[in-house]
Amino acid sequence: MKECSNRRVVNYLIVVFLNAFTDLGHKIIIQNTIFKVYDGEMQIVLTAIVNALILLPFILVFSPSGFLADKFAKNLIMKHASALAVVLTLLITFSYYQGWFFTAFAMTFMLALQSAIYGPAKYGYIKELVGVKFISFGNGAVQAVTTVAILSGIIFYTVLFEIALADNFTTKEDVLQVIAPIGWLLVLGSTIEWFLASKLPNKMIEASQKKFIFKRYIQGKYLQKNLKTVTRKKEIFEAILGLSLFWSISQVVLAIFGEYAKSELGITNAIYVQGAMAMAGFGIVTGSIMAASYSKYYVNSGVATVGAIGMTIIVFIIPTSESMITLTVLFAFFGIFSGFIMVPLNSLIQLRAPRVHLGVILAGNNFIQNIFMVSFLVLTTIFAYFGTNAVALFYLMGLVGIYLSFILFKRYFVLSFWAFVEMILKMRYNFHYVGLEYIPASEGVLLLGNHVSWVDWAIIQIPIKRRLNFMVDKDIYNWKLFNKALKKGEAIPISKKASKDAFAEASQRLKNGKIVALFPEGQISPDGETGKFYKGYELISSDYDGKIATFFIDGMNGSMFSKTRDFNLFSRRDVTVYFSKPVHRETKTQEIREIITNLKGKHETKQA
């Protein structure tokens, strides 16, 4: 059964790959033709128009595509849309042979129209296929596969284009006729995609009774209703806006880089230009996998903030670089940070969207993103027409990146902090968590465990979606460097002189259903062994609705953050955290200490 399920996932991913690979192939052929024939502002204008033709269909069919994805089985929509792609690629190939540049140019719109109908079903199918538990990994896999398709498509079709073309052209019509046989590869790709899409299983739980009334669509009533659905949940809408700004910056960067390379660096070979941008694809694969790992336990939207900051820095650096090697590396990092943005925000949208409105919300996501992208490309075209060069446009996009970073940081402040901490720690440590299922999803929890290092608080928080309210030494709490962050993180300051107030506050937090965490040893262990437990936490009122949960951290003794330092700067350390079943909230200190001390041994005995 599991093998069958895995085969279905692989089959779906191949369909996703071929969909992006084929669509990208035609776009690359048109863009490379523009690159060869036109220069300066006209090159930027035509490239921007091509990108706009790809985006416009997502705006125009927002309501129908969302309706179709909610009304019918998503696998059937993918099947019929890929069949349409076969017809379109045949027409595109015919236009190549005839040398009809503007017909082929216009067919970009038709191929994008097919993708716009396809999109909500394709992405909505992720949740149906892998379920909520693996939604971040599903999105990471889809993003990685899509990016590999784009990357390989750029390289594959650009190399074929240059080999077939050589110097055998004088006009744009000549270019298309020389490279026309490449069109049959587009036909082949779409045919295989259609065949595999036909094999995808129907995962629709129940049929929808929705009806589409064309008159309401023309009158814009569906648009109004669907936009209300999309904007109803603030968390979903803010994620869509974040993605929209990200894609807008990316579209402009890709649209202007060709002209920058040609005018500023004197590069006329399309392989070098497309190859440098294709490195962003390698980066996105890496970034998507990393983002999925950071969202292993829950969708960590704070990773998107780190991605936005990193991407903005790269956009500012690109126009200062004159080496293609440097630019290639920069585009790779641009891709990594792009993956950080795409995976958590897309996962968040799918996770928060009700199943009955998933198609509409995903179509709305496409609609708003493409409104933004088309608007940015129109502005790019206007700026280029009036003489603004590519360098200035890069800096303008950097300013937009600063704004994106600001709004994401503001929206996901706490998660951004934790994402940054997790990324830093995972450079040195491999974390493993055993018994996470014992942490209650709701109700008040008093979380107690051993104290081995200065970063135990971070290690415990990483896998737990609920925010922990740590009891922190008052002197540390009042440090100017940490005070604002600790307040925002809802830490509870405690001192020997004011412990009664701290425990009263902890009691109230537990009554409000929070997790309160503290280390009963009161200090970091000097030798890694579990020391004496102080009874202070017994002063916390036990009249809350919840239990005591315990943990044992193994592997941090000897690290750079422990008091017994014995570490290798170049080696990674394995750290395991063991959690136990919650115990009654009135369990006494000595019994809690015994449970924690014996946790590792119990888990190892159970595994053996």
Side-chain angles (χ1 to χ4, degrees):
M1 188 73 178
K2 186 177 180 181
E3 184 181 345
C4 180
S5 177
N6 290 339
R7 188 165 62 246
R8 289 170 177 174
V9 172
V10 171
N11 191 29
Y12 165 70
L13 291 176
I14 294 173
V15 169
V16 170
F17 175 91
L18 289 172
N19 177 248
F21 187 79
T22 302
D23 288 356
L24 195 278
H26 173 60
K27 176 189 172 185
I28 287 297
I29 289 171
I30 295 298
Q31 280 191 339
N32 286 344
T33 303
I34 294 169
F35 180 77
K36 289 292 185 180
V37 177
Y38 297 95
D39 296 303
E41 288 79 11
M42 186 53 68
Q43 184 187 134
I44 293 179
V45 169
L46 288 175
T47 304
I49 291 173
V50 169
N51 286 323
L53 287 176
I54 293 170
L55 303 174
L56 279 171
F58 290 90
I59 298 171
L60 298 175
V61 298
F62 162 37
S63 296
S65 62
F67 168 80
L68 290 171
D70 287 333
K71 171 73 174 177
F72 301 105
K74 295 174 178 61
N75 64 306
L76 293 179
I77 296 171
M78 288 187 278
K79 173 185 174 182
H80 295 307
S82 56
L84 177 59
V86 176
V87 176
L88 292 174
T89 50
L90 283 168
L91 292 173
I92 287 169
T93 303
F94 180 73
S95 66
Y96 290 169
Y97 275 102
Q98 298 302 311
W100 295 344
F101 174 76
F102 288 108
T103 302
F105 196 90
M107 288 300 294
T108 306
F109 176 84
M110 295 303 299
L111 202 57
L113 184 64
Q114 171 263 343
S115 290
I117 295 170
Y118 200 114
K122 178 175 70 175
Y123 286 105
Y125 197 65
I126 299 172
K127 190 176 180 180
E128 293 182 358
L129 192 63
V130 303
V132 171
K133 183 179 180 181
F134 299 106
I135 196 167
S136 288
F137 283 99
N139 274 280
V142 168
Q143 197 58 65
V145 167
T146 301
T147 304
V148 169
I150 293 171
L151 169 66
S152 54
I154 289 172
I155 296 173
F156 181 75
Y157 283 104
T158 298
V159 170
L160 285 182
F161 182 91
E162 286 287 348
I163 291 172
L165 186 62
D167 293 321
N168 303 321
F169 72 97
T170 54
T171 66
K172 54 187 177 296
E173 289 76 17
D174 294 338
V175 173
L176 288 185
Q177 288 178 328
V178 172
I179 60 88
I182 298 175
W184 292 111
L185 294 174
L186 300 177
V187 176
L188 178 63
S190 58
T191 302
I192 297 173
E193 178 193 348
W194 166 73
F195 174 77
L196 292 176
S198 302
K199 304 295 182 182
L200 293 174
N202 184 348
K203 305 292 287 185
M204 194 172 195
I205 299 173
E206 59 179 297
S208 171
Q209 302 301 314
K210 290 183 178 181
K211 293 182 180 180
F212 189 83
I213 302 171
F214 189 73
K215 184 179 178 181
R216 289 174 60 84
Y217 169 59
I218 295 298
Q219 292 174 340
K221 291 183 179 179
Y222 280 128
L223 177 61
Q224 295 174 23
K225 180 182 176 182
N226 291 341
L227 283 176
K228 284 182 180 179
T229 301
V230 171
T231 57
R232 188 174 296 144
K233 284 193 174 182
K234 186 179 179 182
E235 189 174 13
I236 292 175
F237 186 57
E238 288 180 340
I240 290 173
L241 289 179
L243 284 169
S244 299
L245 284 170
F246 155 70
W247 279 115
S248 299
I249 295 169
S250 301
Q251 282 292 318
V252 175
V253 167
L254 296 178
I256 64 180
F257 181 68
E259 195 279 327
Y260 171 78
K262 198 171 185 178
S263 62
E264 301 292 329
L265 307 180
I267 296 169
T268 57
N269 191 316
I271 293 177
Y272 293 127
V273 175
Q274 298 289 0
M277 290 191 290
M279 284 304 297
F282 282 115
I284 289 175
V285 172
T286 304
S288 296
I289 294 170
M290 292 172 68
S293 72
Y294 295 135
S295 293
K296 181 177 180 180
Y297 304 102
Y298 58 91
V299 176
N300 190 347
S301 47
V303 175
T305 307
V306 178
I309 294 170
M311 184 191 70
T312 301
I313 293 170
I314 297 298
V315 171
F316 274 115
I317 295 175
I318 287 175
T320 68
S321 306
E322 298 181 355
S323 163
M324 281 305 296
I325 295 176
T326 302
L327 287 167
T328 301
V329 173
L330 287 173
F331 270 106
F333 277 102
F334 184 90
I336 289 173
F337 293 124
S338 296
F340 282 9
I341 297 171
M342 288 184 284
V343 170
L345 294 188
N346 277 315
S347 298
L348 191 66
I349 292 167
Q350 293 168 29
L351 185 66
R352 299 292 182 234
R355 186 193 63 80
V356 69
H357 295 309
L358 180 60
V360 167
I361 288 173
L362 291 178
N365 183 25
N366 285 336
F367 176 80
I368 295 170
Q369 285 181 30
N370 285 282
I371 287 285
F372 269 76
M373 286 189 279
V374 169
S375 300
F376 270 65
L377 289 172
V378 168
L379 289 173
T380 300
T381 303
I382 293 171
F383 278 122
Y385 183 78
F386 286 103
T388 306
N389 63 21
V391 173
L393 290 170
F394 270 115
Y395 288 131
L396 282 173
M397 289 305 101
L399 294 175
V400 178
I402 291 174
Y403 177 69
L404 172 61
S405 302
F406 171 75
I407 62 172
L408 289 178
F409 183 76
K410 185 178 179 181
R411 176 68 179 87
Y412 306 118
F413 175 79
V414 173
L415 285 171
S416 299
F417 170 78
W418 285 109
F420 179 76
V421 169
E422 181 178 355
M423 289 178 188
I424 296 298
L425 288 177
K426 282 188 174 179
M427 291 179 183
R428 291 280 302 163
Y429 305 102
N430 296 314
F431 295 115
H432 310 279
Y433 296 93
V434 181
L436 260 178
E437 67 275 11
Y438 295 138
I439 302 297
S442 59
E443 76 183 20
V445 179
L446 181 59
L447 188 60
L448 307 173
N450 65 324
H451 200 5
V452 195
S453 75
W454 292 105
V455 293
D456 290 345
W457 53 275
I459 295 170
I460 297 303
Q461 178 66 84
I462 284 173
I464 300 175
K465 183 177 181 180
R466 298 173 67 190
R467 297 299 97 192
L468 305 185
N469 292 222
F470 282 97
M471 300 193 75
V472 179
D473 183 275
K474 194 170 185 178
D475 292 334
I476 296 175
Y477 183 88
N478 288 329
W479 284 4
K480 288 184 178 180
L481 186 63
F482 299 138
N483 186 251
K484 286 187 178 180
L486 289 170
K487 278 185 178 179
K488 195 76 175 179
E490 300 181 329
I492 303 170
I494 184 172
S495 68
K496 291 181 180 178
K497 295 179 180 179
S499 61
K500 185 177 289 187
D501 290 341
F503 289 131
E505 177 62 26
S507 299
Q508 188 58 49
R509 301 273 182 99
L510 289 166
K511 288 178 184 178
N512 292 336
K514 302 280 188 178
I515 299 182
V516 174
L518 64 90
F519 303 103
E521 291 170 88
Q523 62 179 352
I524 296 173
S525 171
D527 56 7
E529 298 297 322
T530 305
K532 175 186 175 182
F533 274 24
Y534 291 94
K535 297 183 178 181
Y537 76 85
E538 292 184 8
L539 297 174
I540 296 175
S541 173
S542 61
D543 62 349
Y544 62 93
D545 182 20
K547 297 181 179 179
I548 294 177
T550 56
F551 62 86
F552 180 84
I553 301 172
D554 180 48
M556 283 303 292
N557 185 47
S559 72
M560 62 188 297
F561 295 108
S562 68
K563 288 190 174 181
T564 306
R565 295 178 177 85
D566 179 23
F567 65 93
N568 186 328
L569 185 63
F570 302 102
S571 67
R572 290 172 62 82
R573 179 181 287 268
D574 286 314
V575 178
T576 303
V577 181
Y578 301 93
F579 293 92
S580 73
K581 291 181 179 179
V583 296
H584 194 273
R585 56 184 176 272
E586 293 184 354
T587 305
K588 299 301 180 183
T589 305
Q590 188 55 37
E591 188 177 346
I592 291 291
R593 186 183 181 281
E594 289 178 8
I595 291 171
I596 292 170
T597 305
N598 296 327
L599 256 178
K600 179 183 176 183
K602 281 187 176 181
H603 276 290
E604 288 178 344
T605 303
K606 190 176 180 181
Q607 288 177 349

